[in-house]
């Protein structure tokens, strides 16, 4: 591996030495600040050079999102013929000019630099010259500590080895654990942001399931392998994760995938600023929907006590109304009785005082 990556050892070590010479003007040349910031600057330089690949990655991701409905149709059509399904998928990629591997280009391009930095730091930990780092610079880097942990130390190093670097086992393990956790969390949040904000959720495909699986797999991988990374490599990987997160936030906000949550939020921002030109029919339909939603009044919820009080009050009112009606009827009947009695009395009086009606002949 040293033979294959030898030129990269020289490139990585030369870049670090140049940045170290600059930061030595501000900090002590043997301090962790000078060497740590040199590693951070190496990351920034590499990521700036990889921006064209990142743009290509974004375009490939967007093209894959646009092809999701067609991919799903192919999967449904050739559900029982996997070979034909693969052939149709490759044909679709070729016609649209999309390469599924383009989304991995930044990671693949960084891998040689990552491996080279790992080997350079390993040789520094062993006190060996590497690349353009002479013995004086190697000794200076060995003395550099980041929050009490030497940049060449690892979580799995023995106590004697860490003592030879001028540190304690506790300091090294605390620093490495914190950096591994931050590295895993930043990787998880980056992938989660991509899945929740920059994906068209109306289309469910196996591609989305794979991305969701990677959201959990990558952080676990970083946590497992991170215990074997030197502190300097952890600084490198944490810095590149933070860079990726910020770069992705910028791209998602400015150029989101159509149909995604970020796209809807961008449309709302442009509409609020008056920069979005809408179709008049769509604008009228949206305003009508908003007006209908604002005019619709939901019934107010009442507590159990209020419902019971309302019900009893209604019952009492009904009871009072019934009682009043009953009293009115009784009083009406009472008033009507004297008139009826007088009439009967008058009739009976007429019979007594007046001529009697003759009996029927059959009656005696």
């Amino acid at each position: 591996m040293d033979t294959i990556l030898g030129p990269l050892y020289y490139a990585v070590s030369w870049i670090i030495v140049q940045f170290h010479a600059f930061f030595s003007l501000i900090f002590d040349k043997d301090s962790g600040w000078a060497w740590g910031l040199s590693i951070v600057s190496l990351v920034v330089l590499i990521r700036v050079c990889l921006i064209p690949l990142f743009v290509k990655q974004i375009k490939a991701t967007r093209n894959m999102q646009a092809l999701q409905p067609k991919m799903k149709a192919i999967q449904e059509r050739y559900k029982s013929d996997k070979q034909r399904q693969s052939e149709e998928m490759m044909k679709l990629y070729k016609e649209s000019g999309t390469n599924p591997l383009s989304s991995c280009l930044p990671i693949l391009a960084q891998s040689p630099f990552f491996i080279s930095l790992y080997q350079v730091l390993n040789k520094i930990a062993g006190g060996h010259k590497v690349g353009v780092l002479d013995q004086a610079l190697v000794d200076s880097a060995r003395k550099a500590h980041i929050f009490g942990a030497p940049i060449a130390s690892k979580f799995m190093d023995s106590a004697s080895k860490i003592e030879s670097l001028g540190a304690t086992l506790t300091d090294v393990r605390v620093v490495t654990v914190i950096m591994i956790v931050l590295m895993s969390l930043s990787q998880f949040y980056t992938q989660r942001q991509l899945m929740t904000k920059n994906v068209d959720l109306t289309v469910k495909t196996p591609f989305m399931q794979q991305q969701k699986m990677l959201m959990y797999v990558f952080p676990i991988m970083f946590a497992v392998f991170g215990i074997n990374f030197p502190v300097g490599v952890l600084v490198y990987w944490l810095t590149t994760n933070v860079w990726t997160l910020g770069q992705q936030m910028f791209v998602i906000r400015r150029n989101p995938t159509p149909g995604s949550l970020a796209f809807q939020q961008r449309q709302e921002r442009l509409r609020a600023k008056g920069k979005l030109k809408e179709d008049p029919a769509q604008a009228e339909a949206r305003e009508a929907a908003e007006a209908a939603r604002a005019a619709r009044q939901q019934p107010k919820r009442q507590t159990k006590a209020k419902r019971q009080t309302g019900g009893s009050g209604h019952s009492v009112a009904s009871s009072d109304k019934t009682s009043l009606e009953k009293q009115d009827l009784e009083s009406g009947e009472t008033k009507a009785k004297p008139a009826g009695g007088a009439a009967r009395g008058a009739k009976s009086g007429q019979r007594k005082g007046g001529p009697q009606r003759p009996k029927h002949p059959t009656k005696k």
Side-chain angles (χ1 to χ4, degrees):
M1 182 175 288
D2 289 348
T3 304
I4 298 174
L5 296 179
L8 280 178
Y9 293 172
Y10 278 92
V12 168
S13 60
W14 185 83
I15 294 171
I16 291 177
V17 167
Q18 300 308 311
F19 280 119
H20 177 261
F22 171 75
F23 288 114
S24 296
L25 301 175
I26 305 171
F27 307 100
D28 180 30
K29 65 178 182 178
D30 296 331
S31 66
W33 286 105
W35 287 101
L37 290 175
S38 299
I39 296 173
V40 171
S41 301
L42 171 68
V43 176
V44 174
L45 179 62
I46 292 173
R47 294 309 302 266
V48 168
C49 294
L50 293 178
I51 285 178
L53 289 180
F54 180 77
V55 173
K56 194 170 183 179
Q57 177 193 20
I58 293 297
K59 290 181 179 179
T61 304
R62 289 173 64 89
N63 290 339
M64 290 293 292
Q65 289 294 326
L67 292 177
Q68 292 306 305
K70 295 181 180 180
M71 292 170 61
K72 189 173 182 180
I74 291 174
Q75 290 168 354
E76 292 293 331
R77 185 175 180 180
Y78 304 103
K79 188 183 300 183
S80 58
D81 191 349
K82 297 297 182 182
Q83 183 177 356
R84 183 66 183 278
Q85 186 181 117
S86 300
E87 292 174 355
E88 292 295 325
M89 286 289 189
M90 295 305 295
K91 183 179 178 181
L92 179 63
Y93 292 149
K94 186 176 180 180
E95 291 176 353
S96 60
T98 302
N99 186 359
L101 297 178
S102 297
S103 58
C104 302
L105 285 177
I107 296 177
L108 294 176
Q110 280 189 90
S111 298
F113 294 94
F114 176 78
I115 297 172
S116 299
L117 179 63
Y118 179 85
Q119 294 296 331
V120 167
L121 291 175
N122 267 344
K123 292 185 180 298
I124 289 174
H128 305 297
K129 295 186 294 184
V130 56
V132 300
L133 289 168
D134 56 20
Q135 195 62 46
L137 289 172
V138 169
D139 294 338
S140 175
R142 281 170 58 86
K143 297 176 184 177
H145 291 65
I146 297 176
F147 301 111
I151 64 172
S153 61
K154 307 175 188 175
F155 180 89
M156 299 300 292
D157 283 345
S158 62
S160 59
K161 184 176 181 179
I162 292 175
E163 287 177 2
S164 66
L165 296 173
T168 63
L169 185 63
T170 302
D171 291 340
V172 170
R173 292 194 171 176
V174 169
V175 172
T176 52
V177 166
I178 292 174
M179 295 185 73
I180 289 171
V181 170
L182 292 176
M183 187 175 63
S184 300
L185 288 177
S186 60
Q187 179 68 35
F188 174 80
Y189 186 76
T190 300
Q191 190 68 21
R192 186 177 183 275
Q193 179 183 238
L194 182 65
M195 289 297 301
T196 57
K197 286 192 174 183
N198 204 38
V199 171
D200 187 358
L201 299 177
T202 60
V203 181
K204 305 294 183 182
T205 61
F207 176 76
M208 292 179 59
Q209 297 298 325
Q210 293 172 4
Q211 294 295 316
K212 188 175 181 180
M213 182 180 66
L214 293 177
M215 181 172 65
Y216 297 98
V217 171
F218 275 158
I220 294 174
M221 288 176 58
F222 280 118
V224 171
F225 294 118
I227 59 176
N228 291 314
F229 290 164
V231 172
V233 174
L234 294 179
V235 171
Y236 175 95
W237 208 250
L238 178 60
T239 305
T240 195
N241 280 359
V242 174
W243 177 281
T244 302
L245 177 60
Q247 189 172 247
Q248 182 175 273
M249 290 176 66
F250 177 80
V251 171
I252 289 176
R253 182 177 177 84
R254 299 293 298 272
N255 192 20
T257 300
S260 63
L261 176 61
F263 182 80
Q264 297 174 7
Q265 293 174 347
R266 181 176 180 271
Q267 296 296 94
E268 291 296 330
R269 290 195 302 270
L270 293 176
R271 188 178 294 114
K273 294 178 181 180
K275 297 181 179 180
L276 182 64
K277 294 181 180 180
E278 287 184 305
D279 183 32
Q282 293 180 355
E284 185 178 352
R286 180 177 55 80
E287 291 175 359
E290 291 177 356
R293 185 166 53 252
R296 185 172 63 247
Q297 295 181 356
Q298 297 292 336
K300 296 181 179 180
R301 294 188 63 182
Q302 294 182 345
T303 61
K304 187 176 180 181
K306 287 184 178 181
R307 290 197 297 269
Q308 290 177 350
T309 304
S312 61
H314 180 71
S315 301
V316 170
S318 301
S319 177
D320 291 345
K321 185 176 180 180
T322 305
S323 300
L324 289 173
E325 290 175 354
K326 189 175 181 181
Q327 290 177 4
D328 291 341
L329 289 173
E330 288 178 354
S331 61
E333 290 176 358
T334 305
K335 291 178 182 179
K337 280 181 181 180
R344 284 194 298 272
K347 288 181 180 180
S348 60
Q350 287 178 0
R351 290 193 187 102
K352 288 180 180 180
Q356 298 291 326
R357 187 175 60 185
K359 296 182 179 180
H360 196 275
T362 60
K363 293 183 180 181
K364 295 182 180 181

